[in-house]
Amino acid sequence: MPEYPTALGASSLEKITLLGQDLARDVMGEVGFGELAFWLATQRRPGKGETRVFEAVLAALADHGFTPTAIVTRLTYLSAPDSIQGALAAGLLGGGSRFLGVTEDCGRFLHHALSTKDRPVDDELALEIVRAERAAGRFIPGLGHHVHKNGDPRTPRLFEIAREEGKFGPHLALFEAIGRVHPQVLGKTLPLNGAGACGAALADLGLPLELLRGFALLARAAGLIGQLAEELRTPVANEIFLSVDLDNRPVPPAGDSHG
Amino acid sequence: MPEYPTALGASSLEKITLLGQDLARDVMGEVGFGELAFWLATQRRPGKGETRVFEAVLAALADHGFTPTAIVTRLTYLSAPDSIQGALAAGLLGGGSRFLGVTEDCGRFLHHALSTKDRPVDDELALEIVRAERAAGRFIPGLGHHVHKNGDPRTPRLFEIAREEGKFGPHLALFEAIGRVHPQVLGKTLPLNGAGACGAALADLGLPLELLRGFALLARAAGLIGQLAEELRTPVANEIFLSVDLDNRPVPPAGDSHG
Amino acid sequence: MPEYPTALGASSLEKITLLGQDLARDVMGEVGFGELAFWLATQRRPGKGETRVFEAVLAALADHGFTPTAIVTRLTYLSAPDSIQGALAAGLLGGGSRFLGVTEDCGRFLHHALSTKDRPVDDELALEIVRAERAAGRFIPGLGHHVHKNGDPRTPRLFEIAREEGKFGPHLALFEAIGRVHPQVLGKTLPLNGAGACGAALADLGLPLELLRGFALLARAAGLIGQLAEELRTPVANEIFLSVDLDNRPVPPAGDSHG
Amino acid sequence: MPEYPTALGASSLEKITLLGQDLARDVMGEVGFGELAFWLATQRRPGKGETRVFEAVLAALADHGFTPTAIVTRLTYLSAPDSIQGALAAGLLGGGSRFLGVTEDCGRFLHHALSTKDRPVDDELALEIVRAERAAGRFIPGLGHHVHKNGDPRTPRLFEIAREEGKFGPHLALFEAIGRVHPQVLGKTLPLNGAGACGAALADLGLPLELLRGFALLARAAGLIGQLAEELRTPVANEIFLSVDLDNRPVPPAGDSHG
């Protein structure tokens, strides 16, 4: 007979527990939503400082305007207004390697670098890492931003918050050091991407690396509900659809030449 | 030339704004995640009491153990571990009419009842409404619970929190009154469902009715990340899969008789 | 001990069966894909004529250019190129009430009309039905098309194919009759929508009404793979994204006035 | 002004074209569904033999009983019966690296091997490839099957069909040769996986490697509609859900020890 262990939600006739707590008495009204999300993911209650850093990360990633994910959620709602869950899910499906992946990639990269080099984080270590990546012809995840070429304003702010809360750990430290030393190797100065800094901060909070993208998706879920709310109020999806559809240009099938 | 207005995220070379705020300076580190989700959906910053009620609702809906949505997320992760976004989206797609719908249905029902009857909320109004639904052969959304037959512990707690924060409005009042009077009409006492109470509370907070299900989905997104984290730590999805697959019983095709 | 009956796929050490057939010997190389999809849905093997009508319906619904679903699939691929399944799933999520729903709505409407009126299909019956809908202030699903105002070319062709194959049943007959008589009631001539005709044809084939939308989605899955293939060859998603993002116009948050 | 070229669907007042054809006159009733799916993906019309091999592949991949994807589709339908598109999309999201990936992985592996070694396919080439993979500690995609340990019946059948149609190209040839020679290197005989053979066959048909998984998903879409149809007729999802939920075992949160 299989048995499925879980420490998450459970209920009996009289009581509901979540994470071993009495949901109604000890969680509702007592635990903020960011704090709860952290607790659910780690199964330990975060401290105030951890929650503040975590919520700063979620704020940094929640919405960036008309990204592909936002457009997708609005178009799906236009096409299937009967299914809010479908519109939200469709938008989240854009949360893959390219637009939302830098958070995960950067966290993983820093973690890997730290665990192979068993040394204190300093500029020399960072230099060594940047040189090795350069030699291997690889980009460093989180270095560079297509808009904020002079610096992503989220990055110094996240450093500051993490320092205030005593949560500036080795991942953030290494990321910051990479920011200082990379011009020596690359011959140009690139900004430290805010979404990358978020990955470093989440790793310093001890959150599971496999789920760093998951937290970016959670943040984005709140953003996409904002997009839906705005679409209800000021619809643009039909105009977006028409702007594409009316500008289509029929061309002959690609395979005709082979035919 | 089409133009797409938005008050959500926007960025320029130096600055990122969200909801008209400077994201790095005024949102990160200053605004909690529940507060931000509310703000994104309404485009107005909630007060402390509103945030507390809202976060209590999110906590009430975040996770209920091995629901279909949780099982779906775990099985999808088993099958496609390369795509966290797919596992999360798949789970949210179960957030439809049956398992997550009561929040929306109850909020809409109460809102409709309140806007057709332009009267103060009291037991007489509630009685009239229950009688009308009974006469029409319809169930009242949010009345009854398949497990908590003696009362859903979330409901009185949510009433209490809303009262403490001065956010106990007409939707919650009508829901509570229905709880008092329905035995006179139905001849039995049913519990007020906690997920239904959440719908009433969200409606009292002035959140858009079309998105009540969206907030249940946001809460569930946090819960599903918890499910994924637990699956990483203590996997059960493969055992669930095998428990079904190994107990399959081949039967002849249904259409053979017609053939 | 639960047991899960199924007539679909099953395998043992030596053999794989599908629908009670030996998959390798009797299905592969012997059964076309449309035929197989029909068989899977009904658990009975369709005749040649049924397959031809069914495949004509799938062709009619496979792709309509830059619909919201096509744009969504392309944008999701742009954003998460690592997950083809996510791009496909996101596009299918637009297959809801508005853009893909007419097939299902029309099939259900005709079926309901036929089962309440137990009479042979003729113009008088159609007239009665159109009058009743008019009186109730309801639109008839499948009547009208936003582009093909003089007639949807798919409709007469589907009628023709169904007649050739002896599959022109009561649903198609009633739909055609509605096309003849509605001007008398509505005072104007509307085209019979091809997607609506597809719903009538699927209903005449005895396919389950609950799944009519499912067949539209299957057809669209093939179309979306075509969209992805074209996106690989001639990418437009990034340009679509930029055309929206660059034309965004920041506006003040909606809720500021209430604040 | 952006313009979006497409050779897929286009419509004007009088006419609908698809792939440069008149949809109503030249596609509906004339083109089978497998043939159309191939045409949409390649933008060239396949010959009869190509279509037969392609449809054999789709049949081989359509349904394997209670796989995670099938269970997911059924559970999502249980939870959100209002959204067929959600149930289908959720199931497809399981079509990732683990359960549906072997088709793509095998096709890509063979293609890569063939393009790096510019030599005719024979056992010596296969031996060299198997040895290189062994030396690198990598598994060969498509070699081995967890059920069909004595041979997957789909594999010889697909070889046979491809030969009959003159479509047995270098990918299938190399896959077959690997099947012959690998015991010399690995010291044991593994079966050639049918899903892997499908990848080889699709590659020999000249289909885009990036979309091999897409064809597996298309096949699976038909299978999942079969699963939904069977769930409507003989529901098992609720029993599956309960078999998990009732066998849950509450355990203390994992993080408590750290606390």
Side-chain angles (χ1 to χ4, degrees), chain B residues 53 110 114 120-122 158-159 161-177 197 199-206:
Chain B
V53 175
L110 297 168
L114 289 168
V121 176
D122 55 19
L158 196 55
F159 289 168
I161 294 166
R163 282 197 168 98
E164 284 170 11
E165 304 298 341
K167 296 293 160 195
F168 194 89
H171 299 86
L172 282 168
L174 178 56
F175 194 54
E176 195 180 40
L202 293 174
D204 273 343
L205 290 173

Side-chain angles (χ1 to χ4, degrees), chain B residues 3-4 43 247 249 251 254, chain C residues 3-4 6 43 247 249 251 254:
Chain B
E3 250 192 4
Y4 308 110
Q43 301 200 354
D247 289 341
R249 179 165 52 86
V251 295
Chain C
E3 251 192 5
Y4 307 109
T6 182
Q43 301 202 353
D247 289 342
R249 179 165 52 85
V251 295

Side-chain angles (χ1 to χ4, degrees), chain B residues 150-195:
Chain B
N150 302 337
D152 184 327
R154 298 172 296 176
T155 304
R157 179 66 176 134
L158 196 55
F159 289 168
E160 183 182 45
I161 294 166
R163 282 197 168 98
E164 284 170 11
E165 304 298 341
K167 296 293 160 195
F168 194 89
H171 299 86
L172 282 168
L174 178 56
F175 194 54
E176 195 180 40
I178 288 173
R180 275 193 303 269
V181 306
H182 76 271
Q184 298 175 43
V185 184
L186 306 183
K188 60 181 170 185
T189 303
L190 295 170
L192 291 174
N193 190 306

Side-chain angles (χ1 to χ4, degrees), chain B:
Chain B
M1 194 69 165
E3 250 192 4
Y4 308 110
T6 183
L8 301 173
S11 45
S12 59
L13 181 61
E14 308 286 347
K15 199 171 163 183
I16 306 177
T17 59
L18 183 65
L19 294 155
Q21 311 294 309
D22 183 313
L23 172 65
R25 199 189 57 203
D26 300 328
V27 182
M28 288 171 67
E30 305 297 320
V31 180
F33 186 51
E35 186 182 359
L36 180 63
F38 189 114
W39 197 346
L40 284 162
T42 59
Q43 301 200 354
R44 77 174 174 81
R45 185 168 192 171
K48 279 207 168 170
E50 288 174 307
T51 299
R52 185 161 171 250
V53 175
F54 184 61
E55 293 194 310
V57 165
L58 295 178
L61 300 175
D63 183 78
H64 301 146
F66 289 112
T67 54
T69 63
I71 302 171
V72 159
T73 282
R74 289 183 184 239
L75 285 171
T76 304
Y77 179 74
L78 171 72
S79 191
D82 46 322
S83 167
I84 291 285
Q85 71 269 28
L88 184 59
L92 292 176
L93 288 170
S97 56
R98 209 169 140 197
F99 271 71
L100 238 64
V102 65
T103 298
E104 178 175 359
D105 295 344
C106 185
R108 281 183 185 273
F109 171 80
L110 297 168
H111 186 81
H112 179 75
L114 289 168
S115 51
T116 44
K117 322 270 180 186
D118 194 15
R119 279 164 43 191
V121 176
D122 55 19
D123 283 13
E124 208 171 325
L125 177 66
L127 208 48
E128 201 175 288
I129 289 166
V130 177
R131 281 194 182 117
E133 292 305 299
R134 175 68 185 267
R138 284 191 296 259
F139 291 105
I140 292 176
L143 198 56
H145 195 290
H146 68 294
V147 174
H148 307 296
K149 296 186 193 299
N150 302 337
D152 184 327
R154 298 172 296 176
T155 304
R157 179 66 176 134
L158 196 55
F159 289 168
E160 183 182 45
I161 294 166
R163 282 197 168 98
E164 284 170 11
E165 304 298 341
K167 296 293 160 195
F168 194 89
H171 299 86
L172 282 168
L174 178 56
F175 194 54
E176 195 180 40
I178 288 173
R180 275 193 303 269
V181 306
H182 76 271
Q184 298 175 43
V185 184
L186 306 183
K188 60 181 170 185
T189 303
L190 295 170
L192 291 174
N193 190 306
C198 288
L202 293 174
D204 273 343
L205 290 173
L207 291 162
L209 292 173
E210 297 90 340
L211 293 182
L212 296 193
R213 193 187 294 186
F215 299 111
L217 292 164
L218 176 62
R220 189 50 53 99
L224 292 175
I225 288 171
Q227 293 281 341
L228 280 171
E230 195 172 66
E231 179 69 20
L232 285 168
R233 216 181 280 123
T234 323
V236 300
N238 199 48
E239 213 175 344
I240 292 174
F241 156 49
L242 291 176
S243 84
V244 179
D245 192 36
L246 299 178
D247 289 341
N248 88 80
R249 179 165 52 86
V251 295
D256 273 10
S257 52
H258 308 271

Side-chain angles (χ1 to χ4, degrees), chain A residues 140-201:
Chain A
I140 292 177
L143 198 56
H145 195 290
H146 67 294
V147 174
H148 308 298
K149 296 186 194 300
N150 302 337
D152 184 328
R154 298 172 295 175
T155 304
R157 179 66 176 133
L158 196 55
F159 290 167
E160 182 182 45
I161 295 166
R163 283 197 167 97
E164 285 170 10
E165 303 299 341
K167 297 291 159 195
F168 193 88
H171 299 86
L172 283 167
L174 178 56
F175 194 55
E176 196 179 40
I178 288 172
R180 274 192 303 270
V181 305
H182 75 270
Q184 298 175 43
V185 183
L186 306 183
K188 59 182 171 184
T189 302
L190 295 169
L192 290 174
N193 190 306
C198 289

Side-chain angles (χ1 to χ4, degrees), chain A residues 1-7 10 19-20 42-44 80 82-83 85 93 243-244 247-256 258, chain D residues 1-7 10 19-20 42-44 80 82-83 85 93 243-244 247-256 258:
Chain A
M1 196 68 165
E3 250 192 6
Y4 307 110
T6 183
L19 294 156
T42 59
Q43 302 202 353
R44 78 174 173 81
D82 45 321
S83 169
Q85 72 269 27
L93 288 171
S243 85
V244 179
D247 289 341
N248 87 80
R249 177 166 54 86
V251 295
D256 273 11
H258 309 271
Chain D
M1 196 68 163
E3 250 192 6
Y4 307 109
T6 183
L19 294 156
T42 59
Q43 302 203 353
R44 78 175 172 81
D82 46 321
S83 168
Q85 70 270 27
L93 288 171
S243 85
V244 179
D247 289 341
N248 87 79
R249 177 165 54 86
V251 294
D256 274 11
H258 309 272

